C-alpha cells in the first residue's frame, strides 16, 4: 500500500511539472543527432541526395549501402566506433545534468528557475554518484556474463541449446536483482543530497543502498511497476504497429509521429518515477544519507542520526 501511495503521489508531482517532459523527451536525441549528423556528412557526398531517397522504399537500398561500404569513400566504421563512444559520454553528461535539474524541481523548494539552479548546484555531486553506479554496473555485468558463460559451457557439454536460453534468462534476472537496488540508491542519495545540501555522495550512496535492502516492501513493487510500465507501453505499440507496413512517405511520417508519441509518454513515466522516489524519500522521514562525519575535540565522531535516519545509522554501525 505504501508503494501504491508513492506511485500515485509521484504522478501527481509529475503532473505539476509537465514542462519537464519535453526536456526528458529531447535529451536522448542530442547525442543521437550528433552521431547522425556525422554519419550523414560521410554518406551524402558519395551517395548523393536522392539515391537513398529513390531506393529507401524498395528492396534495393541494402545492396546500395553494401556497395558503398566496400568503396574507399566509406568511413562509417571509424564514425560508428569513435562516434558511439563519444555519444555514450555525451549522453551520460546530458542525463546527469537533467537529473540534477529534475530533482531540484520536484522537491519544490524554490519557485524561481529551480531547474537551472539544480543543474548549476548539483551537477558535480550527481556526476560522482554516476561514477559509483557505473563502476558497480560493470561489476554486476561481469557477474551476469560469467553466468551466461557457465550455462554456455553446460549447453555445449549436454548439446542442448535450450540451456543457453535458460542461461540468458537467469543472467538477466540476476542482473536486475543486483542492479535495481543500486539504481534506486543512486537516485535516493541524490535526492537526499539536494534536500539537505550534503556532499558525501559515496557514503550517501551506500547508506541509501542499505535502506533499499531493508525496505523491500516499499522498493520492490515501486521498481517493478516502473520497470514493467514502459515495457508494456512498448509491447502495445509494437502490437498495434506490426500489422501495418509502411509503403509511402506519409506512412513514414505517421510512423515517426507514433514513435515520438511513445517516447513522450515514456518521458512522463520517467518523471513519475522520479516523483515516486521523492515521495518514498519523504515517507522515510527525509534521512540525511549524504551527511559528512564531524570532528569534535580532535576526535572523529558521527553526528547523531535522527529518528527518520535509523536505517542510515545502522548501516554506519556495520562499518
Amino acid at each position: 500500500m505504501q508503494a501504491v501511495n508513492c506511485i500515485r503521489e509521484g504522478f501527481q508531482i509529475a503532473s505539476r511539472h509537465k514542462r519537464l517532459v519535453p526536456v526528458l523527451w529531447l535529451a536522448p536525441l542530442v547525442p543521437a543527432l550528433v552521431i547522425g549528423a556525422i554519419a550523414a556528412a560521410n554518406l551524402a557526398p558519395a551517395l548523393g541526395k536522392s539515391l537513398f531517397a529513390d531506393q529507401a522504399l524498395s528492396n534495393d537500398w541494402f545492396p546500395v549501402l553494401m556497395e558503398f561500404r566496400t568503396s574507399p569513400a566509406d568511413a562509417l566504421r571509424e564514425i560508428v566506433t569513435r562516434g558511439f563512444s563519444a555519444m555514450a559520454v555525451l549522453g551520460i553528461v546530458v542525463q546527469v545534468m537533467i537529473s540534477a535539474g529534475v530533482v531540484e524541481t520536484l522537491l519544490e523548494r524554490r519557485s524561481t528557475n529551480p531547474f537551472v539552479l539544480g543543474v548549476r548546484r548539483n551537477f558535480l555531486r550527481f556526476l560522482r554518484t554516476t561514477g559509483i553506479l557505473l563502476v558497480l554496473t560493470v561489476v554486476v555485468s561481469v557477474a551476469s556474463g560469467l553466468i551466461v558463460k557457465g550455462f554456455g559451457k553446460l549447453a555445449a557439454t549436454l548439446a542442448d541449446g535450450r540451456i543457453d536460453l535458460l542461461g540468458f534468462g537467469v543472467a538477466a534476472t540476476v542482473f536486475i536483482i543486483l542492479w535495481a537496488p543500486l539504481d534506486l540508491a543512486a537516485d535516493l542519495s541524490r535526492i537526499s543530497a539536494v534536500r539537505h545540501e550534503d556532499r558525501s555522495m559515496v557514503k550517501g550512496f551506500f547508506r541509501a543502498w542499505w535502506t533499499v535492502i531493508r525496505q523491500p516492501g516499499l522498493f520492490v513493487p515501486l521498481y517493478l511497476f516502473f520497470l514493467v510500465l514502459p515495457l508494456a507501453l512498448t509491447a502495445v505499440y509494437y502490437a498495434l504497429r506490426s500489422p501495418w507496413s509502411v509503403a509511402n512517405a506519409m506512412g513514414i511520417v505517421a510512423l515517426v509521429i507514433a514513435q515520438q508519441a511513445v517516447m513522450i509518454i515514456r518521458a512522463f513515466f520517467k518523471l513519475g518515477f522520479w516523483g515516486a522516489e521523492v515521495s518514498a524519500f519523504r515517507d522515510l522521514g527525509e534521512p540525511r544519507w549524504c551527511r559528512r562525519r564531524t570532528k569534535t575535540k580532535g576526535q572523529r565522531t558521527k553526528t547523531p542520526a535522527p529518528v527518520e535516519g535509523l536505517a542510515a545509522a545502522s548501516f554506519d554501525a556495520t562499518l
Side-chain angles (χ1 to χ4, degrees), residues 94-176:
V94 170
Q95 291 296 334
V96 171
M97 293 176 63
I98 289 174
S99 63
V102 166
V103 170
E104 185 70 55
T105 303
L106 296 187
L107 284 173
E108 300 177 326
R109 301 185 303 160
R110 300 177 176 89
S111 58
T112 305
N113 297 325
F115 186 88
V116 176
L117 179 65
V119 173
R120 187 172 68 248
R121 299 186 62 168
N122 306 323
F123 174 73
L124 292 180
R125 285 185 289 182
F126 281 30
L127 192 61
R128 292 202 299 272
T129 302
T130 301
I132 300 169
L133 182 61
L134 287 176
V135 170
L136 295 175
T137 299
V138 171
V139 174
V140 173
S141 300
V142 170
S144 301
L146 292 175
I147 293 175
V148 172
K149 186 176 180 180
F151 273 87
K153 291 182 178 179
L154 182 61
T157 302
L158 300 179
D160 189 348
R162 292 173 298 180
I163 297 179
D164 262 334
L165 297 177
L166 178 62
F168 282 107
V170 172
T173 303
V174 169
F175 181 86
I176 292 174

Side-chain angles (χ1 to χ4, degrees), residues 32-319:
L33 288 174
V34 172
I35 185 87
I38 297 173
N42 176 238
L43 289 171
L47 297 181
K49 187 175 180 180
S50 61
L51 181 56
F52 268 132
D54 293 339
Q55 305 295 337
L57 300 179
S58 67
N59 295 324
D60 298 332
W61 69 270
F62 186 75
V64 173
L65 178 61
M66 289 301 99
E67 183 177 354
F68 170 74
R69 294 304 308 275
T70 59
S71 70
D74 175 41
L76 287 180
R77 183 181 301 275
E78 291 76 10
I79 292 173
V80 170
T81 53
R82 299 178 183 179
F84 273 108
S85 299
M87 185 174 68
V89 173
L90 179 60
I92 291 173
V93 171
V94 170
Q95 291 296 334
V96 171
M97 293 176 63
I98 289 174
S99 63
V102 166
V103 170
E104 185 70 55
T105 303
L106 296 187
L107 284 173
E108 300 177 326
R109 301 185 303 160
R110 300 177 176 89
S111 58
T112 305
N113 297 325
F115 186 88
V116 176
L117 179 65
V119 173
R120 187 172 68 248
R121 299 186 62 168
N122 306 323
F123 174 73
L124 292 180
R125 285 185 289 182
F126 281 30
L127 192 61
R128 292 202 299 272
T129 302
T130 301
I132 300 169
L133 182 61
L134 287 176
V135 170
L136 295 175
T137 299
V138 171
V139 174
V140 173
S141 300
V142 170
S144 301
L146 292 175
I147 293 175
V148 172
K149 186 176 180 180
F151 273 87
K153 291 182 178 179
L154 182 61
T157 302
L158 300 179
D160 189 348
R162 292 173 298 180
I163 297 179
D164 262 334
L165 297 177
L166 178 62
F168 282 107
V170 172
T173 303
V174 169
F175 181 86
I176 292 174
I177 292 174
L178 295 178
W179 190 76
L182 301 174
D183 186 27
L184 285 166
D187 290 346
L188 291 170
S189 63
R190 289 166 172 171
I191 294 170
S192 177
V194 175
R195 171 63 182 84
H196 299 292
E197 300 295 341
D198 293 327
R199 296 186 175 277
S200 183
M201 304 308 293
V202 176
K203 184 176 289 294
F205 179 93
F206 289 104
R207 283 173 169 173
W209 173 81
W210 184 242
T211 302
V212 171
I213 296 299
R214 289 167 56 92
Q215 300 279 345
L218 169 61
F219 291 108
V220 170
L222 184 69
Y223 197 87
L224 285 178
F225 179 81
F226 283 100
L227 178 66
V228 172
L229 194 61
L231 295 177
L233 174 65
T234 304
V236 170
Y237 165 74
Y238 280 110
L240 297 176
R241 159 73 178 86
S242 56
W244 304 92
S245 59
V246 179
N248 52 47
M250 291 300 296
I252 295 176
V253 172
L255 180 61
V256 170
I257 293 175
Q259 289 174 338
Q260 294 310 306
V262 171
M263 296 302 294
I264 292 173
I265 296 173
R266 291 186 62 176
F268 181 74
F269 289 165
K270 177 63 177 175
L271 189 61
F273 183 43
W274 274 108
E277 289 177 315
V278 170
S279 177
F281 171 73
R282 289 170 176 165
D283 282 357
L284 292 173
E286 299 187 353
R288 294 186 66 177
W289 288 312
C290 300
R291 180 183 48 219
R292 293 183 183 272
R293 292 180 178 181
T294 59
K295 292 183 179 181
T296 305
K297 294 182 180 180
Q299 296 180 350
R300 292 189 69 185
T301 60
K302 304 182 184 80
T303 55
V307 174
E308 66 271 13
L310 288 179
S314 63
F315 174 76
D316 278 343
T318 62
L319 295 179

